[in-house]
Amino acid sequence: MKLKSAIAYEEKWAEKWAEAKIFEADPKPGKPKIFICVPYSYQNAPLHVGHGFTYTRGDAYARFKRMQGYNVLFPWAWHWTGEAVAGTCERLKRGDQSVRKMLVEIDGVPEELLDKFTDPVFVTRYYTEENRETVKAMGLSIDWRREFHTTDLHPYYSKFIEWQYITLKNKGYITKGRHPVVWCPRCKSPTGDHDRLAGEGVSPEEYTLVYFKFGDAYLAAATLRPETIFGVTNIWINPNHEYVLIQADGKKLIVSEQAAYKLKNQTKVEILKKIPADELIGKFAETPLTGKHIPIFPADLVDPDFGSGVVYSVPAHAPYDYAGIIALKNNQERIRKYQLKELVESIKPISIIRVPGYGEFPAVEEVERLGITSDTDPRLEEATKTIYSKEFHEGVLKDNCGEYSGKTVSEARDLVKEKLIEMGLGGVMWELPEKVICRCGTETIVKIVEDQWFLKYSDPEWKEKVKEHIRNMNIYPEEARRWFLNVVDWLRDWACARKTGLGTKLPWDPDWIVETLSDSTIYPALYTISKYLNLGIIKPDQLNIDVLNYIYLGAGDPEKISSQSGIKEEILKQVREEFLYWYPVDMRISAKELVPNHLTFYIFHHVAIFEPRHWPRGIGVNGMLKIEGEKMSKSKGNFIPLKKAIEIYGADATRATLLLAAEDLDDPDWRDKNAREARNMLDVLIRICRDVVSANSNDYTRVDEWLLSTLQRKMKKITSAMEKLKTRTAFNEALYGLYNDWKWYIRRTGGRLGKAAEKFLEEWVKILAPFIPFTAEECWSMLGKSGFVSLEKWPEPREELINEDAELREDLLKNLMEDIRSITEVYGKPPKKIVIYVSSKKKRELLGKAIELKSLESKAALGNLIKWMIAEKLADKKKAPTLAKLMVDTLASLTSKYKEKTLLNVAENELEFYEESREFLEREFNANVEIYSEDQENIYDPRNKASTALPLRPGIYIE
Ligand SMILES: [Zn+2]
């Protein structure tokens, strides 16, 4: 199982860190702390590069904060709870060859172990062992003394969960009741978000069943828009499916066969008999509230698997319905078969909603605009969304809607529903808006369960407290804050226990197991004390409710609790102190897919259980990794285990590739090309170190000044990006930004390293340490430094090293080179001789004058400058306007970055500076370079270019 990194020195440094225990964190009173964590992962597969993305961001932040002088706690654990491995084990037991193949070829499981993979406990244990190796090889700076995994297979995790659930129950946050849940008929259990193969985040939606009287029974049509009942023209049923007469809700109802099966899980249903669709089509039913008789038509748009399989038609406001009428008119065979010609011809859309931007019949407008002629056209979906949303937010019911006339659509919706139910002409049906598949492979349904345990996330007071805290937390990026608030708004009660899978039993009802998203909310609190259990200072069975109440809530008398539990009082107090030192969590970093569930639950539970000072302080959210532009999945064959990436590219190159891929909510894209590039860049760094170590020079030139100055600026930029968790911006600047500066320095000095080189490299290595720690350590030791760079102080910019003059001079030189290049490009051949003219002493005054006039409106400034130039005889009437314009433009481009004082300073010694750079320019252009001041005697100026010289913008002549 041993993992071998592609980079030889990585293993060495991982061992040295472990030996020196530098990431073990204990409370240091008086020293500021940072508690960072990432969500633990399910142990049903190898960690992949997507995990690696979140982890590397977390680790870079932890290492950055550690170097800034914080006492940093970054702990680790493993998630075993739930059904995560059950599906795989089941399929393997059934002899599924594709699972065997996947395990061997993608996950890299040795063939001889496959027989044991039918046991979920073996599987989770196997992956935990393997993934621990991977996390260590990635160089994550973890305090391993605090490690644990979930479920009652662990000696103390369940004690913690039992305490959590008893506390929640005592506070009234857990109820037992009757609720709709997503239900797996095979597992006979609610299917939580993370127990799903498909349909994560989907929850049951409440449909209104509208009863249309048909003989002594009712056709029950399911709708989300009961207020549209006033615009109904007909009923749709699917002609190719069977319907059934059922006894439900005290009535005889007609629904599709599939709907009857679903309703059985929601209310008491008795199936009386089958009714072929043909017996219904062409007949009439009576509309509730209006008493109107409307015909029953056949339509393919009706999905018998969805809702009740009966749909009422509102062609004025529902694109599908209008398209259905058109499709039926065009289907001569059906018209003939059911003799519907006259009936269909008589259907006219009934307008009932006034909505801005549309005329009488919004659905008709949209369908005709798109040229849709079939009721199965996929564009109907989009048209429907547009109209439904517009009508819901801006629609008002017209005068033909009885007592609801004049009400907004959003007001009328609930009123109509309540009225229908009150009159016995309506009911409720729960349905999933999308397919949800359980991990066991079974399609789920909505079941109303009795006696189910729920977390009362709908509790308005609880919600308000959570929202108030979200408004005040640090959330990166800021845009995620709105998202969290929305999630809290729509969150309903949550089934917190299930009947199967690994986990912890509900302490008061051991038939139930706390489900996977519900036992993973406040476990960061366990990290603050797990060290004492792992080291044997506290025994797992000593961890009773009183002990935990004292440690986490400060409740009870430590002396009594000590004698009752057998934990020494002094230890008990120490553990309480340790919790108080580390809590709250300062930063939790996670992928955005966990915003709608885990991360929000995490806040809810902290708010419910702990004092406000222990509620989470910060959350960083990031995107979801793609592979070469595509979603990563095992079935697509583009799944990259993290250990494989480390074996191919090395951990640092993997970290670098991930960090450079994205930040904020953007989805990073893993590309092999980028990983290879990153790998090469690490070699470049090692080579630079070797060069610097072997060089010895005492030169300290203007370029050295520049190198140290630009370094200070980059430090500022990188530090402030890291504070906001902008890891891509920070690392890009740290790696490539500083590398470009280094390259420029080498070019300028012709490779003769000056005094600044070593100083620069030393700081550069420190800056790289949070991102590519192995390479940074290797470089650090090559530079002859003792100790770990991981423990060095994060470089602070030194104001006294910032030298604007030096920076401006290098910028001017780059501008000059660009100008020379664009001139030679026009000639199309390399220059033999380059002549540079620096402006005369007299003309330098032009810069001062231009600065003085800058505050004027630009046209006036230019006019005044031209007048002044002519008066001062700096240029004749013909040339003055062009030069004045150039001066103003040059000034504008420089003042965005430099102080005016700097510009004047540098202009003063321009000639001297270009003289110093002559050798460099000759080398760059492989040509003779001559430099003159415009007012010098006997200058070489065959084309009269000297007169074009301006301060900070020399004239150029090229031969
Ligand atoms: Zn299932």
Side-chain angles (χ1 to χ4, degrees), residues 390-498:
K390 187 113 178 126
E391 290 186 343
F392 179 73
H393 292 109
E394 298 172 60
V396 174
L397 292 186
K398 292 188 173 176
D399 292 345
N400 52 358
C401 299
E403 60 185 283
Y404 308 98
S405 300
K407 292 212 177 329
T408 63
V409 167
S410 58
E411 282 171 331
R413 183 159 297 175
D414 287 342
L415 293 174
V416 174
K417 174 184 143 194
E418 282 161 25
K419 182 82 178 177
L420 287 168
I421 293 174
E422 189 192 305
M423 293 172 71
L425 293 174
V428 163
M429 176 176 186
W430 292 88
E431 180 61 296
L432 295 167
E434 281 171 51
K435 238 183 208 178
V436 176
I437 311 287
C438 175
R439 287 247 189 215
C440 76
T442 309
E443 185 171 346
T444 64
I445 52 167
V446 182
K447 185 178 168 73
I448 307 270
V449 295
E450 314 282 343
D451 300 340
Q452 165 70 44
W453 293 103
F454 284 89
L455 281 158
K456 263 168 68 181
Y457 291 141
S458 66
D459 182 326
E461 259 174 67
W462 196 6
K463 274 193 185 200
E464 202 31 64
K465 271 193 196 166
V466 168
K467 278 162 79 172
E468 186 53 34
H469 186 58
I470 289 173
R471 287 185 199 109
N472 293 312
M473 284 174 80
N474 297 319
I475 293 183
Y476 305 101
E478 177 56 38
E479 66 206 271
R481 192 185 307 277
R482 190 63 250 161
W483 189 7
F484 274 106
L485 290 169
N486 285 340
V487 170
V488 175
D489 271 336
W490 63 247
L491 198 61
R492 295 214 196 102
D493 290 350
W494 184 266
C496 63
R498 52 180 293 148

Side-chain angles (χ1 to χ4, degrees), residues 668-890:
D669 187 9
W670 172 274
R671 290 190 184 263
D672 169 73
K673 180 175 90 45
N674 297 349
R676 293 189 188 282
E677 233 171 71
R679 176 76 187 79
N680 288 340
M681 194 56 208
L682 302 181
D683 290 340
V684 169
L685 287 170
I686 298 282
R687 224 167 26 238
I688 292 173
C689 275
R690 204 170 294 139
D691 292 348
V692 170
V693 169
S694 60
N696 56 32
S697 164
N698 289 315
D699 292 353
Y700 193 74
T701 63
R702 293 186 196 238
V703 198
D704 287 83
E705 277 177 24
W706 169 82
L707 184 66
L708 292 184
S709 179
T710 186
L711 172 67
Q712 311 306 313
R713 289 200 194 272
K714 294 238 158 61
M715 278 177 196
K716 274 192 201 172
K717 222 171 145 182
I718 294 163
T719 305
S720 86
M722 278 309 277
E723 295 290 2
K724 289 187 243 77
L725 215 66
K726 294 215 173 265
T727 44
R728 198 191 88 88
T729 305
F731 183 49
N732 190 45
E733 207 50 46
L735 187 65
Y736 289 114
L738 288 171
Y739 178 52
N740 286 337
D741 290 346
W742 177 258
K743 278 198 297 190
W744 177 252
Y745 174 77
I746 298 295
R747 247 167 103 180
R748 286 283 279 122
T749 56
R752 284 192 309 274
L753 301 183
K755 251 181 153 174
E758 196 176 340
K759 189 73 209 151
F760 174 86
L761 187 59
E762 209 175 281
E763 304 290 15
W764 190 13
V765 170
K766 286 189 214 164
I767 292 170
L768 291 171
F771 310 102
I772 43 172
F774 297 103
T775 307
E777 293 289 5
E778 187 69 9
C779 290
W780 193 245
S781 83
M782 284 173 76
L783 292 175
K785 305 285 180 184
S786 60
F788 296 103
V789 70
S790 302
L791 299 180
E792 281 295 313
K793 196 158 163 18
W794 180 253
E796 300 267 356
R798 283 166 57 192
E799 287 301 327
E800 74 272 20
L801 289 179
I802 293 185
N803 186 330
E804 268 211 5
D805 289 10
E807 288 179 31
L808 173 58
R809 277 195 290 265
E810 294 308 308
D811 274 354
L812 292 179
L813 191 61
K814 284 176 191 168
N815 292 346
L816 174 68
M817 287 165 69
E818 222 167 88
D819 289 345
I820 294 172
R821 259 188 212 108
S822 45
I823 296 169
T824 52
E825 254 165 44
V826 173
Y827 287 141
K829 50 182 174 187
K832 282 197 200 109
K833 179 173 183 166
I834 301 166
V835 189
I836 294 162
Y837 308 99
V838 177
S839 70
S840 65
K841 189 162 182 246
K842 178 86 177 106
K843 216 192 237 172
R844 276 208 297 276
E845 288 169 28
L846 186 56
L847 180 64
K849 192 69 191 170
I851 290 172
E852 193 183 298
L853 292 172
K854 201 165 65 95
S855 59
L856 294 181
E857 181 236 327
S858 66
K859 235 181 171 173
L862 195 61
N864 283 346
L865 200 60
I866 295 169
K867 267 185 233 153
W868 184 80
M869 283 178 80
I870 296 169
E872 297 287 320
K873 299 200 169 53
L874 287 171
D876 57 28
K877 274 186 187 154
K878 227 173 89 195
K879 280 189 180 156
T882 320
L883 286 177
K885 176 84 171 55
L886 259 179
M887 186 72 254
V888 169
D889 289 350
T890 305

